[in-house]
Amino acid sequence: MRKALIITLSLIIVIFGLVGCSNKDNEQDANNNSQGEYSVADTQKVQEALKDDSWIVVDTRLNDAFNGWKLDGISRGGRITGAVDFSANWLKVEDDNKEELLNEALETKGITEDKNIVLYDTNGKDSKEVADYLKGKGFNNLYLYDVNKWADDESLPMEKYENYQLVVPATIVKDVIDGKKPETFENAKNIKIVEGSWGEEKTSYANGHIPTAFHINTDEIEPPTTEAPMMWMLADDETLKEVALKYGFTKDDTVIVTGEEPMASYRVATVLRYIGVNDVRVLNGGTMAWTMAGYELETTSNKATPVEDFGGVIPGNPDVIDTMEETRAGLKTPDKFTLVDNRTWDEHIGKSSGYSYHDKMGRVPGSVFGYAGKTDSYSLDYYRNIDKTMRNANEFIALWKEQGIDTNKHLSFMCGSGWRVAEIYTYADVVGLDDISIFSDGWIGWSNDPSNPIETGEPKK
């Protein structure tokens, strides 16, 4: 009897022990599938979400990682195929219209309250920051995912822009300055860091720039006219050669162009590409990207070392720039050529010239509106994120398609005189479009030639 009782009690203890273990296992599973107040998605759930319209997968990392760079130790660069982007970095930007811009981004990307939203990152911080932001706006169905798990499985698709290396993250620039040879710089020769900006050093460069960078005043590559009408047109090839030798550029250099205003950086970069420098890149997001990454600016005035020989003919890459004659000829073959007008809508229809020093208004007949900014000739809202980085290319290419712009044709980008389109041209190159160019003279050059026709008013569909 006593023996039977002991056996019974032992069985009870074992059973309760098993139940206890089971409860602990369930608690552990719950902990493994949640991060604080948010559920954690596994890879299978992400795969399912990509096929379900009631779900959306969002990349919350720096846009450089979305573009293709391998950051934070990830094994494969790029994004999950089918994901949209909403970077945690955008939440840190100081802007008077910040909330309006973020709301617009959410709407454009289809990140809405009725969706189940998977937010992924590599550092365990970015997705949580975006989740907190969305929760504060009333979003509830939020899931977190570690994209390292996806990247480590070679069978799962990731994609990157074909020429993502053309726009460089601040962390990579820092590695270069520190003497390292990071991704895509393994074979780089004679790396130079340049600030491209308008005016003398005191205008912006002296206030703080990327360490080791020397300054180029954009007036040197597009000297202003000394007589009316006032224009800043691209200098002739002989002048550009003198500029190249003065600043020590050779065709075999690798150049990273930086600056407070990215538009000026891209203008300098495209001119360097035109003259024939083989490897020219731009700091994605400009000086803001550098300081937001936590790096210090310097105020030392660095000087370039001149050279006597560029090492090749100038221009070494003339196809970057379309001349006035080439543009006129292209407009006669609209089945092969599209002149993309990257100005504001008011400029395109002739309501504004866009410039205080230029009074002629209208557009080039045959040009197609291709968006730029919403406010003035110094804005690029349709091509940039709030932190001045390159926008998701799917979004601006969709705008082109709405306007009937066929990316299979030769695209010649124009604006007022080349600044806005220098940035847009580079983004098109990042995506992998290769039949592209810049009509550098732009609207100012076109309209100041009395032999050129002009149109105003809304274009016919």
Side-chain angles (χ1 to χ4, degrees):
M1 185 73 176
R2 182 180 296 176
K3 184 175 181 181
L5 182 60
I6 292 173
I7 291 173
T8 302
L9 290 172
S10 298
L11 288 171
I12 293 171
I13 291 169
V14 169
I15 291 169
F16 275 102
L18 289 172
V19 171
C21 288
S22 178
N23 287 338
K24 287 180 181 178
D25 289 341
N26 289 336
E27 289 174 8
Q28 186 64 43
D29 287 342
N31 289 334
N32 289 338
N33 288 292
S34 67
Q35 184 171 317
E37 57 195 305
Y38 303 112
S39 298
V40 174
D42 58 19
T43 299
Q44 182 178 345
K45 175 55 70 177
V46 177
Q47 290 176 293
E48 293 170 356
L50 291 166
K51 301 174 184 178
D52 188 338
D53 290 340
S54 67
W55 288 73
I56 189 165
V57 179
V58 183
D59 190 326
T60 66
R61 303 172 298 166
L62 288 173
N63 282 94
D64 304 290
F66 183 85
N67 293 348
W69 289 90
K70 291 194 294 185
L71 304 181
D72 293 328
I74 196 169
S75 59
R76 280 193 292 160
R79 58 196 173 273
I80 293 177
T81 302
V84 300
D85 59 322
F86 191 92
S87 174
N89 206 52
W90 303 349
L91 303 177
K92 303 177 181 69
V93 174
E94 295 181 6
D95 189 291
D96 291 341
N97 298 317
K98 177 177 177 177
E99 202 57 35
E100 178 184 343
L101 294 171
L102 293 177
N103 285 335
E104 184 178 311
L106 291 171
E107 182 179 355
T108 299
K109 298 167 193 300
I111 305 172
T112 54
E113 292 181 47
D114 60 314
K115 295 278 184 72
N116 297 292
I117 303 169
V118 177
L119 305 162
Y120 72 76
D121 64 14
T122 50
N123 59 16
K125 298 178 182 178
D126 292 337
S127 58
K128 176 68 162 53
E129 289 177 4
V130 174
D132 289 345
Y133 171 74
L134 294 177
K135 185 177 181 182
K137 295 175 70 66
F139 289 67
N140 292 310
N141 304 318
L142 304 169
Y143 301 80
L144 309 185
Y145 178 66
D146 179 2
V147 76
N148 286 300
K149 297 176 181 178
W150 188 282
D152 290 342
D153 187 340
E154 292 284 347
S155 69
L156 298 175
M158 296 186 76
E159 60 183 3
K160 62 178 72 173
Y161 294 131
E162 184 174 331
N163 297 312
Y164 70 91
Q165 77 282 352
L166 293 176
V167 287
V168 187
T171 54
I172 297 295
V173 177
K174 180 66 164 58
D175 283 345
V176 169
I177 292 171
D178 290 344
K180 301 174 184 176
K181 285 292 184 78
E183 173 190 0
T184 77
F185 283 88
E186 294 88 350
N187 300 314
K189 301 177 182 178
N190 310 318
I191 301 176
K192 295 179 171 69
I193 300 178
V194 179
E195 175 177 301
S197 59
W198 178 80
E200 302 299 328
E201 288 191 7
K202 63 182 180 181
T203 306
S204 64
Y205 176 83
N207 298 327
H209 51 266
I210 309 305
T212 76
F214 59 84
H215 178 249
I216 292 181
N217 182 351
T218 56
D219 279 353
E220 297 212 48
I221 60 172
E222 44 184 26
T225 54
T226 56
E227 299 178 359
M230 190 66 180
M231 294 188 288
W232 277 266
M233 295 288 102
L234 183 64
D236 59 46
D237 293 343
E238 188 58 37
T239 300
L240 293 177
K241 180 179 180 180
E242 293 173 4
V243 172
L245 299 179
K246 174 183 175 180
Y247 288 100
F249 294 115
T250 71
K251 72 178 185 65
D252 293 325
D253 288 345
T254 291
V255 181
I256 304 172
V257 190
T258 70
E260 183 178 2
E261 173 44 63
M263 233 185 282
S265 303
Y266 284 99
R267 177 60 164 168
V268 171
T270 53
V271 172
L272 291 176
R273 292 179 66 175
Y274 168 75
I275 66 174
V277 178
N278 287 338
D279 187 3
V280 184
R281 317 184 190 203
V282 178
L283 172 59
N284 193 22
T287 303
M288 177 188 288
W290 183 265
T291 55
M292 289 187 72
Y295 303 133
E296 296 291 329
L297 299 172
E298 71 170 11
T299 55
T300 303
S301 179
N302 303 302
K303 303 301 179 184
T305 302
V307 295
E308 295 183 356
D309 184 14
F310 178 73
V313 298
I314 292 178
N317 193 10
D319 290 343
V320 172
I321 303 292
D322 283 339
T323 64
M324 183 71 74
E325 292 72 23
E326 289 171 330
T327 302
R328 289 180 181 136
L331 287 166
K332 295 176 182 178
T333 57
D335 57 321
K336 301 176 182 178
F337 176 97
T338 301
L339 182 61
V340 183
D341 187 350
N342 297 116
R343 297 181 296 158
T344 63
W345 179 249
D346 281 353
E347 289 173 275
H348 184 68
I349 64 174
K351 189 176 180 180
S352 166
S353 74
Y355 300 88
S356 61
Y357 55 86
H358 185 69
D359 59 359
K360 296 179 177 65
M361 296 181 285
R363 65 178 173 276
V364 178
S367 63
V368 180
F369 181 61
Y371 294 89
K374 297 179 180 180
T375 53
D376 54 38
S377 60
Y378 302 99
S379 58
L380 273 175
D381 308 82
Y382 292 103
Y383 291 89
R384 288 181 183 174
N385 299 312
I386 188 174
D387 60 356
K388 297 186 179 181
T389 56
M390 173 183 165
R391 185 180 178 180
N392 185 329
N394 287 339
E395 295 168 12
F396 61 74
I397 290 176
L399 294 174
W400 293 351
K401 289 181 178 178
E402 288 176 6
Q403 296 298 319
I405 296 172
D406 184 352
T407 54
N408 293 311
K409 296 180 182 180
H410 175 85
L411 303 183
S412 182
F413 301 102
M414 64 152 281
C415 58
S417 62
W419 278 45
R420 284 174 281 185
V421 292
E423 188 164 338
I424 294 167
Y425 166 89
T426 304
Y427 293 163
D429 196 0
V430 167
V431 174
L433 300 180
D434 53 12
D435 194 6
I436 55 176
S437 60
I438 295 170
F439 174 41
S440 184
D441 287 358
W443 171 247
I444 293 176
W446 180 275
S447 59
N448 277 327
D449 185 335
S451 68
N452 287 329
I454 292 173
E455 280 184 350
T456 58
E458 295 199 11
K460 297 179 181 179
K461 293 290 185 181

